[in-house]
Amino acid sequence: MDTTDRRQHLRDILKHLILEPTGFTPEHAANGLHSIMRGEASDAQMGGFLTALRLRGVDQQPEMIAALASEMLSNALIPVLETDTQSREDFGVIADIVGTGGDGWNTFNISTTSSLVAAAAGLRVAKHGSRASSSNCGSADLLESLGCNLSVITPSDVAELLQEHRFCFLFSSTFHPSMRYLAKTRRELGFPTPFNVLGPLTNPVRPSRAVIGVHSKSLGPVMAQALNILGRRNYAVVCGDENLDEISIAGVTHVWHIDKLGKIAYYTIQPSDFGVACHPLSAASGSSLAENQATLKRLLTNTMTDQDYAIRDFVLVNTGFLLYVSGIAQTMKEGADIARKTLESGKTMQLLDGFAQATQKLQAQESTN
């Protein structure tokens, strides 16, 4: 009999969490999630588990967050990054730029745009995301509105898309199917739970570089420590001084940078480090899906209006930092310069069109099977 079948049921885990909270360990948390992802738990048990985790402050404990993320990944659909001509190592650096959401600022889709620009600049980007939950327009919503059929991308498609287009989108619902058991409960609870911060930690590709935005400064060191426990290196956790889950265009951003040896360095950066002017966040706010789509098209086709330059600069600092963390640029300013030239060249629009066409081809193939 498989040993995983002998792990505790959520009912027993929940009893431990409520009655003996001081003895509740990361292993208990992982076992509770394991029970949920096997479809064993009732709605009441799942609601109780999420509520108890929240009250216990598990989202502020790096060991607990790492245990939950590790369990999620162990049940995810993992892409095999191999083709007939390439191995995982041949792909070189694979990166992601992603935020936790929940910061309340409702800015334009900066990380989505930055991932496209970085890919057009030569970095391979595996973007892990979903539809909107805490904003008006999520990464998947925006890309789908531009002709990308994201739901058809399966683990077997990822390697070829990264090889041919240097960009792939991993829809969280496709690659984490077992999390469907929690979806209804999370929606009905109506308050954040520790699972709100797990998305950036659970990219199934396990990128070798990443910039991860968090919605509050207090979460920054916690997230960095959780990443360290998971063995991630050359990752940077960022939080704008306004409690923004991206690098701020308005002023100071806090950074917790994990180096190749696992040492976490804290420092601050600002737009001037990228050779970019400051703008108020209100000048870079997001709007409806239709308006965000129009803004992105103007950015990628060099037809910007005066109101678009703040968003353009917002994209430059975030893309520039990702290129810096990933080793494409030697300085943050060089990263922003590369990003600017890439946008002006039209390469980002070409990349997006190519990726969209590839997903449409996958959709056509699926329809004929």
Side-chain angles (χ1 to χ4, degrees):
M1 182 179 179
D2 192 326
T3 56
T4 57
D5 292 337
R6 296 195 293 269
R7 293 170 70 173
Q8 287 179 289
H9 189 280
L10 182 61
R11 179 183 58 252
D12 302 314
I13 295 292
L14 183 57
K15 186 184 297 184
H16 193 142
L17 178 57
I18 298 297
L19 301 179
E20 302 177 69
T22 57
F24 191 77
T25 67
E27 183 179 5
H28 288 124
N31 284 342
L33 180 55
H34 177 80
S35 181
I36 290 171
M37 291 192 293
R38 286 174 60 86
E40 299 172 346
S42 69
D43 289 345
Q45 289 163 350
M46 289 189 287
F49 183 62
L50 295 187
T51 301
L53 289 178
R54 172 68 175 180
L55 292 175
R56 193 170 183 274
V58 165
D59 53 351
Q60 293 295 324
Q61 298 178 45
E63 297 83 5
M64 293 288 186
I65 293 174
L68 291 169
S70 182
E71 186 63 34
M72 269 187 70
L73 283 168
S74 71
N75 287 273
L77 301 181
I78 306 297
V80 178
L81 293 187
E82 295 177 349
T83 67
D84 292 339
T85 58
Q86 282 190 302
S87 66
R88 166 77 192 227
E89 291 71 26
D90 292 329
F91 278 94
V93 171
I94 298 175
D96 191 9
I97 178 168
V98 61
T100 58
D103 60 12
W105 283 101
N106 197 34
T107 53
F108 177 74
N109 300 87
I110 298 299
S111 65
T112 306
T113 307
S114 294
S115 67
L116 293 168
V117 178
L123 181 65
R124 282 196 170 86
V125 179
K127 175 72 174 162
H128 185 223
S130 61
R131 294 195 177 93
S133 58
S134 59
S135 64
N136 293 336
C137 174
S139 55
D141 302 299
L142 183 60
L143 291 173
E144 287 179 329
S145 76
L146 293 162
C148 301
N149 290 314
L150 304 179
S151 60
V152 302
I153 299 172
T154 65
S156 61
D157 301 318
V158 173
E160 184 174 351
L161 289 169
L162 284 175
Q163 184 181 46
E164 295 297 323
H165 304 283
R166 295 192 305 278
F167 179 82
C168 185
F169 189 91
L170 287 79
F171 218 145
S172 58
S173 59
T174 298
F175 288 82
H176 294 282
S178 297
M179 290 299 289
R180 69 186 183 277
Y181 295 111
L182 267 180
K184 179 173 177 285
T185 301
R186 290 178 65 191
R187 284 195 306 270
E188 291 182 348
L189 284 177
F191 56 80
T193 73
F195 289 88
N196 288 66
V197 305
L198 293 182
L201 298 173
T202 53
N203 186 327
V205 167
R206 291 180 173 88
S208 46
R209 303 285 191 280
V211 174
I212 295 177
V214 294
H215 57 65
S216 62
K217 293 186 286 292
S218 63
L219 185 58
V222 175
M223 184 70 88
Q225 291 170 44
L227 286 163
N228 209 359
I229 293 169
L230 290 167
R232 308 299 168 80
R233 301 294 181 261
N234 299 301
Y235 273 46
V237 177
V238 300
C239 184
D241 201 49
E242 314 85 354
N243 283 329
L244 176 75
D245 72 337
E246 289 159 330
I247 296 172
S248 178
I249 194 63
V252 171
T253 293
H254 303 263
V255 181
W256 296 265
H257 200 149
I258 309 168
D259 68 14
K260 63 182 180 181
L261 299 177
K263 181 180 178 181
I264 300 173
Y266 166 77
Y267 55 92
T268 59
I269 57 178
Q270 50 194 335
S272 59
D273 294 318
F274 299 86
V276 171
C278 287
H279 302 272
L281 283 182
S282 59
S285 62
S287 187
S288 66
L289 173 59
E291 291 181 6
N292 283 12
Q293 180 198 89
T295 299
L296 180 59
K297 286 183 176 179
R298 292 194 300 271
L299 288 176
L300 302 191
T301 57
N302 293 306
T303 55
M304 292 182 293
T305 65
D306 289 344
Q307 291 90 342
D308 295 328
Y309 282 94
I311 292 177
R312 191 278 311 267
D313 288 350
F314 205 171
V315 171
L316 294 184
V317 298
N318 281 273
T319 308
F321 194 64
L322 178 61
L323 294 174
Y324 169 66
V325 168
S326 300
I328 298 291
Q330 297 305 304
T331 66
M332 288 177 273
K333 185 177 184 304
E334 182 187 2
D337 289 341
I338 293 172
R340 179 183 289 106
K341 291 174 183 175
T342 301
L343 270 175
E344 293 172 351
S345 71
K347 290 180 180 178
T348 310
M349 192 73 236
Q350 294 170 16
L351 180 139
L352 177 57
D353 286 342
F355 175 71
Q357 290 169 17
T359 63
Q360 291 163 15
K361 183 178 178 180
L362 288 173
Q363 176 68 61
Q365 292 170 347
E366 184 181 84
S367 298
T368 59
N369 291 339

